[in-house]
Amino acid sequence: MNLEQYIAAMDPELRPVFMQRAASVQQLIADPTQAQGQTVAAPVSAPASTQRVTVVDRSIPGPAGAPEVPVRTYTPAGTNGTLPAVLWIHGGGFTAGSPAQNDDFCLRVVEEVRCVVVSVDYRLAPAHPFPAALDDCYVALRWLATPDSGLEIDPGRIAVGGSSAGGNLAAAVTLMARDRGEVALAFQLLVYPCLDDRHTTPSSHEMAAEGMIWNRAQSLRGWQLYLGNDGNKENGQTSDVSSYAAPARMANLDGLPPTYVMAAQLDLLRDEDIEYAMRLMQAGVPTELQVHPGAMHGFVLFAASAPVSERAISGYVTALRRALNP
């Protein structure tokens, strides 16, 4: 598929936003090391708390031998007793991003789901390759599940979610929680997650043209930086990649919590996301899969006001509400 075909296949609600913002988006993700430097050099302050939601930036104990982990907490006002919680993990190709980019979403989740949200400001590649980001996210999960957090969390109603690279980390945290048996998760939400470093699917080859949002070359480079080595630059494959780094490599998906997977048709991750959802179903995991036609990677972030994005976000916020407030 070339760029003209990609734009023609795009949902009409998304095409104008793509045309307006494509250049700025490409500039953001073209140089991962520069993007990371900008994030570190210019931290974004927390949004003002409202009458309905209290927003606090804090630091929690980090992994053994590592720095403290910054987190942003969103707590509903005027509640009594324990609440469900969502650990949210932002995207950014493993090399960029911060909790601030998902403030509006997290505030919405707090109000509509009536829960606490903890958003993790994890360490970024290439300065901090795997497993730094995963370790940060997992210690945040353990922290929010304990009384030490002071968040009044119901330990039986905890979900993990994330988008893009954050979806990778959400899936990996969920696998780690299952395998370590330290936190029982009620739900995982994976929004166009990056799951497979091997890039062997048809969609991973289809979305290769320059100008597409998160094309094949950009994705392979992001994986190489996250894994801490260049691997095979042609197909991204290495033989010693952990299944916690690339959850699609995990052979056993038994015993995972109910899952919602959202994929986009015009996304190189489409096929790996669909395959992961199918494997979850085959493993007996209650799984909902939504594939949005004409949508590209990142559409709910880059085109949040488009009606198709609103429909997508409403779908997975509703799924969170059902899972955490049965």
Side-chain angles (χ1 to χ4, degrees), residues 171 175 178-179 188 243 247-257 259 275-285:
L175 291 169
R178 177 200 65 178
D179 295 344
Q188 66 171 333
S243 54
R249 290 178 177 261
M250 179 64 73
N252 176 19
L253 299 182
D254 295 346
L256 293 174
T259 301
E275 181 179 353
Y276 197 72
M278 291 175 59
R279 290 183 56 216
L280 287 167
M281 295 178 208
Q282 291 160 2
V285 177

Side-chain angles (χ1 to χ4, degrees), residues 154-217:
D154 179 348
R157 293 188 292 162
I158 297 175
V160 174
S163 60
S164 191
N168 166 290
L169 292 166
V173 165
T174 302
L175 291 169
M176 190 171 284
R178 177 200 65 178
D179 295 344
R180 296 186 178 182
E182 295 176 315
V183 181
L185 293 175
F187 193 70
Q188 66 171 333
L189 168 61
L190 308 179
V191 177
Y192 36 62
C194 306
L195 298 170
D196 197 340
D197 63 297
R198 294 166 292 191
H199 281 30
T200 57
T201 65
S203 65
S204 72
H205 289 277
E206 183 182 355
M207 305 300 163
E210 186 176 350
M212 293 178 175
I213 291 180
W214 202 239
N215 64 27
R216 181 177 177 84

Side-chain angles (χ1 to χ4, degrees), residues 23 29 60 92 104 122 151-152 170-171 203 215 250 258 278 309-310:
I29 62 180
I60 65 172
D104 289 344
Y122 55 88
L151 296 175
E152 301 291 335
S203 65
N215 64 27
M250 179 64 73
M278 291 175 59
S309 300
E310 172 56 31

Side-chain angles (χ1 to χ4, degrees), residues 233-248:
K233 293 185 178 181
E234 171 59 27
N235 59 26
Q237 295 187 52
T238 58
S239 60
D240 59 349
V241 173
S242 166
S243 54
Y244 293 130

Side-chain angles (χ1 to χ4, degrees), residues 24-42 92 94-97 124-127 221 225:
S24 60
V25 170
Q26 290 299 320
Q27 184 177 7
L28 173 66
I29 62 180
D31 184 349
T33 55
Q34 183 179 5
Q36 184 195 40
Q38 292 173 350
T39 301
V40 172
F94 303 112
T95 63
L124 300 170
R221 184 57 177 159
L225 294 172

